[in-house]
Amino acid sequence: MIPAIEQASLHEIKQLQEQKLKETLVYLSENSPYYKALFAKNEVNIHSIKTIEDLQQIPVTTKTDLQENNDDFFCVPMHKIIDYATTSGTLGNPVTFGLTDKDLDRLAYNEAISFACAGLKEGDVVQLMTTLDRKFMAGLAYFLGLRKLGAGVIRVGAGIPELQWDSIQKYNPKYLIAVPSFLLKMIEFAENNHIDYNASSVKGVICIGESLRNQDFSSSVLAEKITAKWNVQLFSTYASTEMSTAFTECQQLKGGHHHPELIITEVLDDNNRPVAEGESGELTITTLGVEAMPLLRFKTGDIVKLHAEPCLCGRNTMRVGPVVGRKQHMIKYKGTTLYPPAMHDSLTYFEAIQNHVIEISTNDLGTDEILIKIAAKENTEDLLTQIKDHFRAKLRVTPKVEFVPADVLNKIVFSPMSRKPTHFIDKRN
């Protein structure tokens, strides 16, 4: 199930995208209160935008724009909205997204071809270990995509290792869709309850919410810890509510594949100019074929690198590399630039750490301060020393680390008000 456009030449891919871009600009100019005003204010002649490069004539859209003008982004009357979803609010107040029937069909198509990219096929049984409720677009997208693909879906939901294993043993799924760090809890439960997880039906896991790769596509510490025990293939994905599009790894495990019929991608520097090929920058997207809330040059806040060389899987689409970090989460600590994913990876290295939260604040000098709160199997000075030494070796800095009781930390990480575990808290001014 590889769309023909993904195996087409780069010239053909660009031609298709530019045709769809023209259609999107006309649609926005006729239906979007926000973009109508933007075009008028900046004297943008949409008919002069003919190529991807011409997009630079249009100002970018930010998360702040979305938060402050949420209703003005809707392009259809509210009676056409079939599903309401919200962003997770990672960088501020959640934004409401509406989806029409057509948008739900597009979402299903996106996930179906994304799962097929990782090797899932009709007839496979898949255990869905994420919520479908609480206005969470991803869970609904996974279900719709698997249904369109012709796969069987076991909607177990998030958490509860015992329930997950009961379901695996009863229904024999071939794949799981899960947050990768939760797989470590699955392994721990299996070992404590004499479950032979390597004899289970599970052969692969579509991993969401956490990166599995380093920038050179080697396995992260988290991925290595999982596969060192459980003989399953892990596939990394990248997506967001705003994009309504996923970038999923194929069997080559060399980045998430772009679906050119669904989205235009740019990688921009701090001045909103395209970075040089092979350089990292902020992923900026233009959605194609979205009816209710299309976005034009939307800055995701995620720092990534694009990879343009053809993939051995036969697709000629570019790939998005592992997220370096969120731009607004960048930390300047004692002269060193850090992003939370690198710190999470360093903490995952330690078996003794059961849970953690990274807190960033502003100190009396007006600079960034890092406090890492950990729950450990044993609170020892030796463990603190090992953690600090590991940070110094890997990241060239030594943050403040303190022990916190597991029950206290779990209430922060697994807040009932959040759909995702909270491992990073930004308290900066």
Side-chain angles (χ1 to χ4, degrees):
M1 190 178 177
I2 302 179
I5 189 60
E6 299 190 14
Q7 294 179 305
S9 68
L10 296 181
H11 175 69
E12 290 171 315
I13 289 173
K14 191 168 188 287
Q15 274 190 320
L16 173 80
Q17 290 219 297
E18 289 173 347
Q19 178 56 41
K20 286 184 172 289
L21 172 60
K22 293 173 189 175
E23 295 167 4
T24 298
L25 289 171
V26 170
Y27 182 78
L28 289 170
S29 70
E30 294 175 350
N31 298 285
S32 171
Y34 179 83
Y35 286 112
K36 278 184 191 178
L38 182 77
F39 296 157
K41 179 181 178 182
N42 293 276
E43 298 181 344
V44 173
N45 176 6
I46 63 166
H47 299 293
S48 70
I49 312 295
K50 300 181 185 299
T51 68
I52 303 295
E53 292 74 21
D54 291 341
L55 274 171
Q56 292 165 46
Q57 299 175 31
I58 303 174
V60 297
T61 299
T62 66
K63 289 179 181 283
T64 301
D65 294 328
L66 267 178
Q67 289 165 351
E68 293 179 349
N69 306 279
N70 197 169
D71 291 348
D72 287 341
F73 280 89
F74 280 83
C75 292
V76 298
M78 299 313 289
H79 70 265
K80 285 205 166 188
I81 300 300
I82 303 301
D83 184 76
Y84 290 84
T86 59
T87 60
S88 58
T90 308
L91 296 177
N93 295 326
V95 172
T96 297
F97 275 78
L99 292 91
T100 64
D101 251 339
K102 181 181 173 184
D103 292 335
L104 290 172
D105 288 341
R106 179 190 176 280
L107 196 63
Y109 169 78
N110 159 74
E111 289 297 343
I113 61 175
S114 296
F115 288 137
C117 189
L120 278 70
K121 59 185 184 298
E122 183 179 358
D124 285 337
V125 178
V126 183
Q127 185 151 314
L128 183 52
M129 297 164 57
T130 183
T131 184
L132 267 75
D133 58 7
R134 301 174 70 181
K135 297 177 288 185
F136 189 41
M137 183 187 284
L140 175 64
Y142 303 143
F143 175 78
L144 293 175
L146 291 168
R147 179 174 180 264
K148 185 172 182 65
L149 187 63
V153 189
I154 312 162
R155 294 180 291 107
V156 179
I160 318 177
E162 182 177 6
L163 181 60
Q164 303 294 348
W165 278 116
D166 285 348
S167 179
I168 290 170
Q169 292 171 325
K170 183 172 184 178
Y171 300 110
N172 297 312
K174 185 176 181 181
Y175 292 95
L176 310 177
I177 299 176
V179 175
S181 57
F182 184 70
L183 298 177
L184 295 175
K185 297 186 182 299
M186 294 273 291
I187 291 170
E188 182 181 21
F189 181 88
E191 290 176 340
N192 291 338
N193 291 274
H194 312 293
I195 296 171
D196 186 355
Y197 43 88
N198 279 312
S200 75
S201 60
V202 179
K203 303 303 178 190
V205 186
I206 309 299
C207 293
I208 62 173
E210 297 169 343
S211 180
L212 300 171
R213 312 282 171 234
N214 300 314
Q215 289 303 308
D216 62 357
F217 297 120
S218 59
S219 294
S220 67
V221 172
L222 175 58
E224 286 182 345
K225 288 182 75 170
I226 295 165
T227 55
K229 290 193 170 186
W230 197 353
N231 183 28
V232 290
Q233 191 166 17
L234 305 179
F235 296 93
S236 190
T237 66
Y238 167 71
S240 72
T241 300
E242 296 93 342
M243 295 190 297
S244 292
T245 311
F247 297 79
T248 302
E249 287 182 326
C250 67
Q251 298 282 336
Q252 301 300 318
L253 309 180
K254 297 292 184 182
H257 274 282
H258 173 223
H259 301 312
E261 67 272 46
L262 298 178
I263 197 167
I264 292 171
T265 56
E266 303 173 82
V267 175
L268 306 180
D269 62 19
D270 290 340
N271 298 312
N272 296 328
R273 304 293 298 178
V275 300
E277 187 173 337
E279 294 294 317
S280 297
E282 186 170 359
L283 183 67
T284 302
I285 59 96
T286 296
T287 55
L288 302 173
V290 172
E291 189 173 44
M293 281 186 67
L295 294 179
L296 179 63
R297 301 202 82 204
F298 173 73
K299 299 187 77 176
T300 64
D302 292 326
I303 305 301
V304 303
K305 185 187 296 183
L306 299 183
H307 299 265
E309 65 277 8
C311 184
L312 292 176
C313 74
R315 292 172 178 82
N316 292 324
T317 50
M318 67 85 185
R319 287 157 290 121
V320 174
V323 174
V324 178
R326 289 190 182 274
K327 186 176 181 181
Q328 287 181 255
H329 287 173
M330 185 181 77
I331 304 156
K332 293 291 287 187
Y333 186 65
K334 298 181 179 178
T336 299
T337 299
L338 297 172
Y339 287 97
M343 292 191 282
H344 293 317
D345 209 43
S346 293
L347 293 165
T348 302
Y349 174 81
F350 292 93
E351 294 280 354
I353 296 178
Q354 297 172 307
N355 220 333
H356 73 271
V357 168
I358 300 167
E359 285 188 1
I360 310 299
S361 59
T362 304
N363 60 27
D364 294 340
L365 300 176
T367 59
D368 292 345
E369 198 66 49
I370 303 174
L371 170 62
I372 299 177
K373 297 180 178 181
I374 63 171
K377 295 176 181 177
E378 290 186 31
N379 299 349
T380 66
E381 285 299 320
D382 183 54
L383 177 59
L384 285 179
T385 300
Q386 289 181 44
I387 293 170
K388 291 178 180 180
D389 287 348
H390 187 70
F391 265 77
R392 193 180 298 112
K394 295 294 182 182
L395 303 178
R396 305 195 305 278
V397 296
T398 308
K400 183 180 178 182
V401 184
E402 68 177 31
F403 291 114
V404 175
D407 58 338
V408 173
L409 201 59
N410 284 341
K411 289 178 182 177
I412 299 172
V413 174
F414 303 107
S415 167
M417 297 304 293
S418 177
R419 298 181 306 213
K420 302 175 183 177
T422 302
H423 290 289
F424 181 81
I425 298 174
D426 195 339
K427 295 183 173 180
R428 287 177 290 190
N429 299 336

